[in-house]
Amino acid sequence: MGKATGRWDFEWVYNEQPHTLRRKEILAKYPEIKSLMGHDPQLKWVVSGMVLTQLLACYMVHDLPWKWLFFWAYAFGGCINHSLTLAIHDISHNVAFGNKQARLNRWFAMFANLPIGLPYSASFKKYHIDHHRYLGGDGLDVDIPTDLEGWFFSTPLRKVVWLFLQPLFYALRPLVVNPKPLTQLEILNGVVQLVVDVLIYYLWGLKPIIYLIAGSLLCMGLHPISGHFIAEHYMFLKGHETYSYYGPLNSITFNVGYHMEHHDFPSIPGSRLPLVKKIAAEFYDPLPQHTSWARVLWDFVFDDSIGPYARIKRQYKLVKQE
């Protein structure tokens, strides 16, 4: 458990991200894919049902013993909360109400944020656009670990700790890599979240708050669903920086596993990404893909060639966005 990973730097490349070119090629051959773009009218109802389920769970867990509280937070509530973060990911592309209702999408993302327990949605939107526009961009894409993470979390045991602490790194890394001014939407997000948390505490006490926050942190850390964080962009094969997963966990994660398709067409809702793969199968079938998120986590920990440094990076000759 003490052997260090064989990587001591990121994989630096000097070409553009592959998604721009592939998008053009696919649209030239299959222009009908444009019809898949736009909002998903079912998304708001699915998300609302998940939020209401968690509010009901807050009532049901308020008198549970602590050991069962954490069990259900990890096994049930955290899975819903992780799924809600992926709904927020979808909503950040305006697919809940469409591009003409951008503000409504932001407010609905705050509603989806409520069971997570901590304000998240407005900040995610602010940085996620850079992840698509500047994929792998040094100092721009905050999805990429820092040099400190790559250097220190280089043994199997340390990589397990890194996986467990993933929510912490995702929250703090933007402040180090690419700090941006606080926005009014982020302040509103924080105020709304605080008001709802206080209301839940007033109605049912501390345990529901612990249930929500603990579930979010646990299921975005060392949990099978969290395998998607590693599966999406960590370089399991040299030269390949984005990977898709087509397994059953897509059914509870808004098809985030169709990640190659998502980066090619970010304005297409997750519910329609399987159609992209079906229409343009010859573009996606030959590409490397993952078959198990749990296996991804195992390989990440025990494969010496994979670690926080196993990411493709590039320099963008652009003015850094404020």
Side-chain angles (χ1 to χ4, degrees):
M1 293 291 285
K3 185 179 179 181
T5 181
R7 294 199 62 92
W8 294 104
D9 195 3
F10 298 103
E11 183 81 5
W12 289 90
V13 299
Y14 303 95
N15 56 347
E16 294 185 4
Q17 59 166 293
H19 301 287
T20 305
L21 177 59
R22 186 165 51 243
R23 180 186 308 120
K24 292 178 180 178
E25 291 176 347
I26 291 175
L27 286 178
K29 187 172 183 179
Y30 300 108
E32 63 269 28
I33 283 181
K34 291 182 179 179
S35 66
L36 301 177
M37 300 175 183
H39 79 287
D40 177 0
Q42 299 300 318
L43 182 62
K44 59 182 176 292
W45 302 117
V46 174
V47 170
S48 296
M50 295 168 69
V51 171
L52 294 176
T53 297
Q54 281 293 71
L55 291 178
L56 176 62
C58 285
Y59 166 74
M60 297 180 68
V61 305
H62 77 280
D63 58 354
L64 273 182
W66 285 105
K67 64 179 180 179
W68 289 111
L69 182 84
F70 284 104
F71 171 80
W72 287 112
Y74 185 81
F76 177 74
C79 296
I80 294 180
N81 284 1
H82 195 143
S83 184
L84 282 170
T85 68
L86 298 171
I88 291 170
H89 165 258
D90 234 16
I91 297 166
S92 74
H93 294 282
N94 294 333
V95 301
F97 298 97
N99 288 323
K100 293 182 179 179
Q101 300 286 342
R103 183 71 63 170
L104 191 55
N105 281 284
R106 303 290 80 74
W107 292 340
F108 188 65
M110 293 182 198
F111 173 71
N113 194 150
L114 296 179
I116 296 170
L118 298 169
Y120 155 82
S121 63
S123 296
F124 176 80
K125 166 64 177 179
K126 183 171 70 174
Y127 284 101
H128 188 61
I129 189 172
D130 287 343
H131 172 61
H132 279 268
R133 186 176 296 160
Y134 309 123
L135 181 65
D138 184 37
L140 294 169
D141 185 357
V142 299
D143 187 66
I144 295 180
T146 62
D147 278 299
L148 179 61
E149 292 171 70
W151 168 76
F152 183 77
F153 296 101
S154 57
T155 68
L157 182 58
R158 291 179 185 179
K159 286 191 278 186
V160 169
V161 173
W162 185 83
L163 290 172
F164 184 77
L165 295 178
Q166 267 195 110
L168 178 65
F169 289 119
Y170 269 96
L172 297 181
R173 192 185 298 139
L175 305 179
V176 176
V177 174
N178 188 14
K180 296 184 179 186
L182 192 68
T183 67
Q184 290 184 345
L185 276 177
E186 287 177 289
I187 294 172
L188 179 60
N189 190 189
V191 170
V192 169
Q193 189 68 55
L194 178 62
V195 169
V196 171
D197 287 350
V198 170
L199 180 60
I200 291 174
Y201 176 79
Y202 174 79
L203 291 174
W204 301 308
L206 181 62
K207 286 184 177 180
I209 301 296
I210 300 298
Y211 163 80
L212 293 177
I213 295 177
S216 298
L217 297 178
L218 290 171
C219 279
M220 285 189 283
L222 198 58
H223 191 280
I225 298 178
S226 293
H228 79 85
F229 288 125
I230 308 300
E232 290 165 1
H233 295 293
Y234 283 78
M235 193 179 62
F236 282 74
L237 287 177
K238 187 175 179 64
H240 292 274
E241 61 186 307
T242 307
Y243 302 77
S244 284
Y245 156 82
Y246 303 117
L249 290 179
N250 278 305
S251 63
I252 59 171
T253 56
F254 296 91
N255 284 329
V256 74
Y258 288 77
H259 215 67
M260 192 80 71
E261 294 82 352
H262 170 65
H263 270 264
D264 288 351
F265 301 100
S267 60
I268 295 180
S271 60
R272 298 176 193 152
L273 290 177
L275 291 175
V276 175
K277 168 123 178 358
K278 182 178 180 181
I279 293 171
E282 71 271 27
F283 286 90
Y284 295 111
D285 287 347
L287 297 174
Q289 58 188 254
H290 294 292
T291 58
S292 167
W293 282 340
R295 178 58 187 266
V296 163
L297 293 176
W298 178 272
D299 289 344
F300 178 82
V301 171
F302 293 106
D303 188 331
D304 294 336
S305 68
I306 305 172
Y309 265 141
R311 292 292 296 264
I312 285 179
K313 290 188 77 172
R314 52 175 60 87
Q315 292 280 355
Y316 283 87
K317 296 179 179 179
L318 296 172
V319 177
K320 193 172 180 179
Q321 300 293 307
E322 299 293 339

